[in-house]
Amino acid sequence: MPTTITVTVNGTTRTNEVDERLLLVQYLREVQNLTGTHIGCDTSNCGACTVHLNGKAVKSCTVFAVQADGGTVKTVEGLASNGVMHPMQAAFKEKHGLQCGFCTPGMIMTSIELLERNPNPSEAEIRRGIRGNLCRCTGYHNIVEAVKFAAAGTGGKK
Amino acid sequence: MVMAKLGDSVRRVEDDRLITGRGRYVDDIKLNGMLYVSLVRSPHAHALIKNVDVSAAAALPGVETVFTGADLQEQLGSLPAGWTIKDMVAPPHPPMAFEKVRVVGDAVAAVVAIDPAIAADAAQLVDVTYEVLPAIVDAEKATKPGAPQLHEESSDNVAFNWEVHGGDYATAAKSAEVVVKQRIINQRLIPNSMETRGVVADYDPGNDHLTIYTSTQIPHLMRLLFSLITGHPEHKLRVVAPDVGGAFGCKLYLYAEEVICGIIAKNLGRPVKWTEGRQENYVATTHGRDHIADVEICGNKDGTITGLNAHIYANLGAYLSTFAPGIPTVLFGLMLSGQYKIPSISCKVTGVFTNTTPVDAYRGAGRPEATHLVERMVDMFAQEIGRDPLVVRRKNFLAPFKNGKEVATGVKYDSGNYQGALNRALEIFDVKAFREEQRAARKEGKLLGVGFSTYIEICGMAPSAVAGALGAGAGLWESSTVRVHPTGKVTVLTGTSPHGQGHETSFAQIVSAELGVPMEDVDVLHGDTDRQQFGTGTFGSRSLAVGGQALMMSLKKVKDKALKIAARELDADPKMVRFEDGVYSLEDIAEKQLPFASVALAAHSALNLPPRMEPGLEETSFFDPENFTWPFGAHICVVEIDEATGETKIAKYVAVDDIGNVINPMIVDGMVHGGIAQGIGQALQEGAVYSSDGQLLTGSMLDYAVPTAEDLPSFITDRTVTPTNVNDLGAKGAGEAGTIAASPAVINAVVDALKHLGVKHIDMPLRSEHVWRTINDAKVAQRANRSVSAVKGS
């Protein structure tokens, strides 16, 4: 059954008719053409599809698009402002926190929310905070370094 | 503006697009009029197809058409094995099954619809009638009389028997003071690149041009194989590997879905897309490892190793994947000398068909299996004779060498200094202090252990003639083109095909260093058969050692030509012209200078070229190495085991690798980290498990334990540098080293932690229950021994 939803994605509000079974990640990728958010599994394990829904990091494969009706979504495409990367994006580049880049958008969205909740995390807290996002390239070493670097750079600020 | 040098940790060119969501992976591609393919796959591991009824599926609104294996049988051909072992049985491998399925996941029909969800719905409506046959999943049992038989061509499920013999193992074992035997299981792994596979196929009937976008490591080889089996002309086939989200070997083949989608696009005259689901990936994309090894090591009580003997059952799965026969043979058996002087080595490999997903290269591909076996056996030998495993290693190391060293398996290493890497690792890690800590911890009931792995690696695939003699169906050289534009900007075309390795950075770095142009002025293009001349692709840690050298050769030709043009422009003898930091100058006339860009313009304007020189500034090279490269290193792992639960944690990990000269240390460290993580993953927790009737029990990410950030520690990495003389860069290859070294370092550490209980070996993966049972069994055995001695004593 098609349903009409209105969602604000990266600051732009759009109204679309969608299938009730359409997942939020499919809505973002197929309807909004925001392909920066990736699909890496079908069991909500990998976290590649992580976005911010109403300010919270969610795996967008566990949310139906209709559940986002009236809500606000931020994806990796919405992080940079005026061509300047978000500090977490800059940290991933500086610390080489990515290789193939497939898990990266989700990993960055999770890491941003992690620092919002806990601005000065220990290494163990970082590892616990990103354990819902899988990466097969980096062994997480440099992702952890990137999150530490971003935390230090923002001085504990949001 | 970044002027790069070799050895700088230049930040990656790729990152800007990948961290802002502007990467372009196959599933991001949407073409006008595109249809979606969903494949109906066999739920049975072994069955005859009696009937395929597509009527309900075809009737679903939104379904364009449904093809069965029988419909497309003629057009699809048979997937080839690209590596041949003598007397190998290579049965047909239809991309879509039409008579018989041999593995859960064999495609039997393809639904094409206007929407992926409709295609998936319709696939469930395809009604296939099967006659289920008995299945076999264990490679050893599959060879025994009475086992279910997969292919008519092989009566005992054996695809090949391969052997290598150096020296005389039987005599060595007879005269040895000590012989240690062990069965070692190297379990099956699922590669788990974070991007699954995907294909978009687009056909232009007017020109008979077929374009296939696919998540692959080998666009050119894939095009060649596709063309050979389907008859679609190679020059009218374009294969594009866009951004590829990891591969680790599992995207190194011609896959059924590439052929199916290409042929469907041709039949329909419309673009089609297939995107692999993760659970689909677990059955449809190749697995790795899966060896049953019976091993013997022999030597004397002074620590001298005199021989090694191994027989392997290598599980190949239901069909021969493209490189499968080469992995457990050449890349495994020839590696069994490790870093040691072992006079007699004997190895027999039995490659076996089973009703499981095909097994092919997975990061390290043969070398992790070889290293695990060698490094475990060296430790077991040391334990047997009561000596320190480091002492035994040092006693048997090959002495440092620069210009080649042949070992008993017949291969010739390029250069090595194995003591050097171990010494460096032991500077970082204080073994003596650790032993004290270990003793103290044991008194408190805490089990600590340290494990060493001193490994050898083979990279730089490959001298084509040698590879051919070993069974490769094609040469494994590499190509490059350096195209200097009139403005001095540079385009590099490489036949390598990166998927996370950062070639756009390291190759641009080489160009920047050699031509003195900023990184921003260099564009490295890869992964498109219409753009690049033929190339071999990216696997086996070959890209820099082979592709990088091809790039160096083209750069040299460009520089030679540019110098002549510069000399003419400067009105000087070429011998007097210097080229430094992108500027041509004359030694004694300071004001006479010419930037590289001006020479590029002069080459294209062609107003004042030396006589008979062709205009333009573009050079192409093909490099076929004379030898492989042989990286090595020493890894040290410390584990902490909870005696009560068997839970095993990595407390510390030190990696010293020698991969020759390094172009970008940051990128190399990153690859080493990832490699170690995959090796630790195998040691601690990963493993594909089948039921006896061929169902994959670890069939999703819920059941297969890909390591998370919490499962792993941070790593300490360092390097020694022993350059190779096989290429001008002196670079050996870095992508797989970590994986090759890590698993025996972990297992050796665990055995070290448990050896006071009498434990001599433990197989992977080290799930808590497995470790707990090992501890418990050892204690029970110890108690039994004590009571026996007590009885004897009384």
Side-chain angles (χ1 to χ4, degrees):
Chain A
M1 268 283 284
T3 303
T4 301
I5 60 168
T6 300
V7 188
T8 302
V9 182
N10 298 333
T12 305
T13 304
R14 288 196 179 88
T15 299
N16 301 94
E17 204 169 76
V18 299
D19 245 5
E20 278 171 344
R21 66 174 174 176
L22 192 75
L23 302 174
L24 178 58
V25 65
Q26 293 165 332
Y27 168 76
L28 294 169
R29 290 180 54 81
E30 304 297 333
V31 181
Q32 298 274 13
N33 288 312
L34 292 169
T35 54
T37 303
H38 299 147
I39 301 171
C41 74
D42 40 23
T43 47
S44 296
N45 286 83
C46 82
C49 64
T50 306
V51 300
H52 293 178
L53 173 62
N54 300 325
K56 276 191 171 171
V58 298
K59 292 182 177 178
S60 60
C61 72
T62 63
V63 181
F64 289 110
V66 293
Q67 291 176 283
D69 186 24
T72 302
V73 175
K74 185 171 260 190
T75 72
V76 71
E77 289 96 338
L79 288 178
S81 59
N82 301 323
V84 179
M85 277 192 242
H86 185 282
M88 188 62 76
Q89 291 174 310
F92 268 67
K93 178 170 182 176
E94 177 59 25
K95 291 294 173 185
H96 188 35
L98 66 151
Q99 290 176 34
C100 81
F102 196 79
C103 77
T104 309
M107 195 66 86
I108 286 176
M109 299 312 287
T110 296
S111 300
I112 289 171
E113 200 225 22
L114 167 65
L115 291 195
E116 282 172 0
R117 283 188 283 111
N118 179 1
N120 294 302
S122 65
E123 173 164 340
E125 286 170 337
I126 294 171
R127 288 183 178 274
R128 172 149 291 229
I130 62 171
R131 69 178 169 170
N133 291 67
L134 297 177
C135 167
R136 194 62 157 168
C137 294
T138 63
Y140 305 101
H141 181 107
N142 283 341
I143 293 176
V144 172
E145 293 300 311
V147 177
K148 281 187 201 167
F149 184 78
T154 52
K157 291 192 302 272
K158 273 200 173 179
Chain B
M1 210 172 76
V2 180
M3 302 298 293
K5 291 198 291 289
L6 303 186
D8 286 353
S9 283
V10 178
R11 298 302 182 268
R12 294 203 322 171
V13 172
E14 295 85 346
D15 290 1
D16 287 357
R17 71 172 184 273
L18 299 178
I19 57 185
T20 54
R22 291 177 297 181
R24 191 171 189 243
Y25 302 87
V26 170
D27 195 37
D28 302 339
I29 295 169
K30 216 186 247 185
L31 301 178
N32 193 28
M34 192 164 81
L35 298 166
Y36 297 82
V37 173
S38 180
L39 293 167
V40 179
R41 295 185 183 276
S42 169
H44 303 293
H46 202 190
L48 298 173
I49 300 169
K50 304 309 273 186
N51 187 44
V52 184
D53 180 357
V54 303
S55 54
L60 194 74
V63 171
E64 186 74 18
T65 186
V66 184
F67 294 103
T68 66
D71 294 337
L72 298 179
Q73 179 186 344
E74 297 298 325
Q75 295 177 65
L76 292 175
S78 174
L79 298 172
W83 197 289
T84 307
I85 304 293
K86 191 168 169 280
D87 299 328
M88 181 175 91
V89 175
H93 182 186
M96 221 176 345
F98 50 88
E99 285 173 331
K100 190 179 180 188
V101 293
R102 293 179 180 83
V103 59
V104 170
D106 252 343
V108 293
V111 175
V112 189
I114 56 169
D115 172 282
I118 294 172
D121 285 345
Q124 298 202 353
L125 298 175
V126 174
D127 188 8
V128 186
T129 310
Y130 295 99
E131 181 187 326
V132 178
L133 302 170
I136 184 85
V137 300
D138 179 290
E140 183 180 19
K141 290 178 187 159
T143 63
K144 305 297 180 215
Q149 189 184 326
L150 271 80
H151 299 280
E152 281 173 17
E153 294 78 1
S154 170
S155 59
D156 53 4
N157 294 314
V158 172
F160 57 79
N161 282 294
W162 179 91
E163 312 188 353
V164 62
H165 302 285
D168 178 356
Y169 178 77
T171 306
K174 225 176 273 171
S175 54
E177 293 170 4
V178 179
V179 179
V180 182
K181 298 181 183 185
Q182 182 63 46
R183 169 164 278 210
I184 296 177
I185 307 294
N186 204 298
Q187 84 272 30
R188 177 182 285 243
L189 301 178
I190 300 179
N192 277 294
S193 57
M194 291 314 301
E195 183 205 24
T196 57
R197 291 184 298 116
V199 181
V200 170
D202 185 19
Y203 184 60
D204 167 7
N207 294 299
D208 194 28
H209 278 185
L210 178 62
T211 302
I212 297 180
Y213 302 88
T214 178
S215 186
T216 185
Q217 302 171 239
I218 49 158
H220 285 91
L221 290 181
M222 188 246 140
R223 179 181 64 163
L224 172 62
L225 294 173
F226 186 106
S227 169
L228 288 175
I229 74 161
T230 64
H232 188 88
E234 190 182 9
H235 65 302
K236 294 187 178 220
L237 178 58
R238 177 185 177 204
V239 176
V240 181
D243 282 323
V244 173
F248 316 111
C250 79
K251 298 175 179 174
L252 180 45
Y253 323 112
L254 175 65
Y255 270 105
E257 296 82 2
E258 291 166 332
V259 183
I260 294 169
C261 289
I263 293 301
I264 289 178
K266 273 185 86 167
N267 279 296
L268 299 182
R270 283 178 71 176
V272 297
K273 179 194 270 190
W274 168 76
T275 304
E276 189 179 45
R278 178 60 66 183
Q279 291 176 66
E280 192 177 21
N281 170 270
Y282 274 24
V283 295
T285 292
T286 54
H287 295 172
R289 319 278 191 260
D290 207 343
H291 285 196
I292 300 169
D294 290 305
V295 199
E296 286 180 32
I297 191 167
C298 65
N300 297 326
K301 287 178 181 163
D302 68 350
T304 312
I305 298 168
T306 54
L308 184 82
N309 180 37
H311 176 260
I312 316 296
Y313 290 102
N315 195 333
L316 302 169
Y319 307 96
L320 294 176
S321 172
T322 311
F323 280 98
I327 308 303
T329 54
V330 173
L331 293 181
F332 167 80
L334 300 184
M335 304 302 292
L336 291 177
S337 197
Q339 297 188 351
Y340 313 105
K341 191 178 172 214
I342 304 178
S344 297
I345 295 177
S346 204
C347 174
K348 289 185 189 174
V349 179
T350 306
V352 186
F353 295 113
T354 64
N355 297 108
T356 61
T357 291
V359 175
D360 207 319
Y362 166 60
R363 201 169 192 167
R367 292 92 93 202
E369 296 92 313
T371 304
H372 193 80
L373 188 154
V374 172
E375 290 302 290
R376 267 287 47 237
M377 294 311 289
V378 168
D379 258 40
M380 289 192 73
F381 176 69
Q383 193 174 346
E384 184 68 26
I385 61 171
R387 281 181 175 256
D388 185 325
L390 287 177
V391 172
V392 171
R393 279 181 172 77
R394 287 191 194 278
K395 189 165 183 68
N396 293 284
F397 274 158
L398 291 164
F401 57 97
K402 283 182 180 161
N403 292 309
K405 178 79 81 184
E406 196 169 325
V407 292
T409 55
V411 292
K412 191 176 177 186
Y413 300 170
D414 56 349
S415 60
N417 180 356
Y418 308 137
Q419 292 83 350
L422 181 59
N423 289 345
R424 180 69 197 119
L426 293 172
E427 281 165 23
I428 298 168
F429 179 80
D430 186 342
V431 180
K432 222 171 147 191
F434 171 80
R435 290 294 180 203
E436 280 166 27
E437 193 188 337
Q438 184 183 34
R439 268 191 294 274
R442 206 173 281 165
K443 279 179 196 155
E444 291 166 19
K446 227 169 80 180
L447 299 174
L448 298 182
V450 63
F452 307 95
S453 170
T454 47
Y455 73 93
I456 185 89
E457 146 80 308
I458 179 172
C459 294
M461 316 286 161
S464 296
V466 178
L470 294 170
L476 298 172
W477 43 266
E478 200 44 84
S479 69
S480 81
T481 292
V482 173
R483 178 177 298 157
V484 182
H485 301 277
T487 54
K489 312 275 189 207
V490 183
T491 298
V492 173
L493 309 174
T494 174
T496 66
S497 198
H499 36 282
Q501 294 87 346
H503 296 178
E504 291 167 35
T505 306
S506 42
F507 283 29
Q509 205 172 333
I510 293 172
V511 174
S512 177
E514 290 293 313
L515 298 183
V517 296
M519 291 281 289
E520 294 83 347
D521 287 358
V522 185
D523 202 17
V524 178
L525 302 179
H526 51 78
D528 183 341
T529 59
D530 266 10
R531 270 178 172 170
Q532 292 90 30
Q533 64 292 330
F534 199 96
T536 304
T538 289
F539 52 89
S541 307
R542 68 186 299 277
S543 291
L544 197 58
V546 190
Q549 176 63 14
L551 173 59
M552 289 293 281
M553 288 161 64
S554 292
L555 287 168
K556 184 175 185 306
K557 292 179 197 167
V558 163
K559 286 200 293 186
D560 287 350
K561 183 173 180 181
L563 188 86
K564 289 179 192 147
I565 299 169
R568 182 128 180 130
E569 291 284 310
L570 293 168
D571 199 15
D573 185 331
K575 286 187 193 115
M576 305 301 291
V577 179
R578 275 193 319 198
F579 180 53
E580 213 170 32
D581 297 332
V583 177
Y584 294 89
S585 60
L586 295 181
E587 288 202 13
D588 31 8
I589 314 170
E591 65 272 20
K592 274 208 161 186
Q593 286 199 343
L594 203 59
F596 179 73
S598 302
V599 177
L601 187 61
H604 286 85
S605 68
L607 303 178
N608 183 30
L609 292 178
R612 288 177 300 283
M613 180 183 273
E614 292 177 30
L617 194 52
E618 171 170 327
E619 298 290 349
T620 296
S621 306
F622 298 84
F623 175 62
D624 197 359
E626 284 178 4
N627 190 4
F628 300 91
T629 57
W630 304 81
F632 58 90
H635 287 209
I636 303 177
C637 176
V638 175
V639 297
E640 202 179 302
I641 301 169
D642 183 333
E643 196 169 347
T645 64
E647 191 184 357
T648 304
K649 279 189 179 153
I650 309 291
K652 190 168 208 169
Y653 199 99
V654 176
V656 173
D657 297 293
D658 194 320
I659 54 166
N661 291 334
V662 171
I663 306 303
N664 187 318
M666 177 192 80
I667 288 177
V668 165
D669 283 341
M671 287 198 278
V672 170
H673 297 152
I676 296 169
Q678 289 181 3
I680 291 177
Q682 171 167 24
L684 290 187
Q685 60 194 63
E686 292 183 41
V689 180
Y690 280 94
S691 66
S692 58
D693 63 350
Q695 294 296 326
L696 180 63
L697 300 177
T698 51
S700 81
M701 275 189 170
L702 291 167
D703 308 298
Y704 186 94
V706 176
T708 71
E710 267 200 315
D711 298 324
L712 297 168
S714 284
F715 312 110
I716 300 163
T717 56
D718 202 354
R719 275 183 286 280
T720 56
V721 178
T722 309
T724 181
N725 48 22
V726 175
N727 60 65
D728 294 336
L729 291 164
K732 290 187 170 184
E736 295 159 294
T739 312
I740 291 166
S743 73
V746 178
I747 300 297
N748 287 346
V750 169
V751 174
D752 182 63
L754 304 180
K755 68 181 174 202
H756 63 291
L757 301 171
V759 173
K760 291 179 174 172
H761 176 70
I762 184 167
D763 271 323
M764 304 181 286
L766 298 168
R767 292 181 183 132
S768 301
E769 184 197 347
H770 177 41
V771 178
W772 180 86
R773 281 187 191 282
T774 304
I775 294 170
N776 205 47
D777 291 351
K779 284 181 174 172
V780 170
Q782 265 189 341
R783 274 198 296 272
N785 282 340
R786 269 200 294 272
S787 45
V788 168
S789 1
V791 170
K792 275 185 187 164
S794 61

